Every structure is written in structure tokens, then in C-alpha cells.
Amino acid sequence: MNPSPRRPSVLFVCVHNAGRSQMAAAFLTRLGQGRVEVRSAGSAPAQTVNPAVVEAMAEAGIDISAETPKVLTTEAVQASDVVITMGCGDACPVFPGKRYLDWKLDDPAGQGLEAVRPIRDQIESRIRTLLHELTAGPGQAAP
């Protein structure tokens, strides 16, 4: 009996863990359907998730109202295969053997719903591409 393959692990990092990283984690959790381990954190976490982000995600059918910003830890980075930063600068520790991506996205902090929607849509598009890369084996098409 073959052991089941290990799920890839992705960590999303932004400064406050209240907007971009929360949206990215929620999309990957939903679209990945358990095929990817998902974490998010912030280098200086806010007290709550941005209300406009919660509302924008609700429009996409994803409820993140119970999420809370989490502090970035060295352990979270070490436990992840892919680390995606979104404006956290040099606050994210770098370890050999990890894949690092830096997604340039507008910061939804202090923005209204109209400004958050296009950020949400950009994140969803990037997550779909990332999911395809993570789950399509050699010579396979992603589901």
C-alpha cells in the first residue's frame, strides 16, 4: 500500500493579516478542497479582519467573518513549502528550500468595498493559477 502523497503547504503573509492574506487563504482553502494545507499570518497583525474584505468575500460566497489575524512565526514559515508575501517587506524570514513569491497587490486597508473587489478578483485569479501549479502532477491536467 502506497502512502498518500503529502499535501503541499502554502503560507500567505501580509503586514496586518487582515486583508490580502486572509482573502488568499480563504480562496485557496475553498478551491483547494483539502488538497493544500493553508496558513496566513501578518508581520504586525491587526485586531480584526478588514470589514470591507469580509463583505467582499461574502459576495464571492466565502464567509471569513470568524477569522482573526495571526502573527507570523518562524515555525509557520518552516512548515510551508510555498511562502507568498504581499507587501510585508523584509519582515518575512527566508529559509533555504522554500519557494517564495511576492504578489504585488494594492492594500485594502482603509479602502471601501468598491476598491476591495478588484483586489479580491486579482487574488482569486492568482490562487487558481497557483492551485493548478501545486496540484497538477507531471503530465497531468489539474482538476
Side-chain angles (χ1 to χ4, degrees):
M1 184 170 162
N2 290 337
S4 60
R6 193 176 79 73
R7 294 184 305 162
S9 176
V10 178
L11 170 65
F12 296 100
V13 183
C14 65
V15 175
H16 300 296
N17 190 221
R20 295 166 289 189
S21 56
Q22 289 283 351
M23 288 189 281
F27 275 124
L28 187 53
T29 298
R30 166 70 62 86
L31 298 170
Q33 300 175 329
R35 293 175 290 168
V36 179
E37 187 177 344
V38 182
R39 297 179 182 84
S40 72
S43 54
Q47 292 296 314
T48 61
V49 175
N50 180 332
V53 167
V54 172
E55 189 175 348
M57 292 303 288
E59 289 180 351
I62 300 175
D63 180 6
I64 63 168
S65 61
E67 295 297 327
T68 56
K70 295 168 268 319
V71 69
L72 175 64
T73 65
T74 301
E75 294 76 22
V77 177
Q78 288 175 318
S80 302
D81 300 311
V82 180
V83 179
I84 299 175
T85 57
M86 303 171 186
C88 74
D90 295 330
C92 189
V94 175
F95 293 97
K98 306 291 175 198
R99 179 178 171 201
Y100 288 87
L101 301 172
D102 186 41
W103 288 358
K104 304 286 186 208
L105 296 160
D106 290 338
D107 188 348
Q111 302 291 323
L113 185 58
E114 292 298 319
V116 173
R117 285 182 182 127
I119 300 168
R120 174 201 63 202
D121 296 344
Q122 288 176 33
I123 290 171
E124 181 180 13
S125 175
R126 290 179 187 214
I127 291 298
R128 289 182 182 280
T129 300
L130 176 68
L131 185 60
H132 176 79
E133 293 170 4
L134 293 173
T135 59
Q140 288 181 294

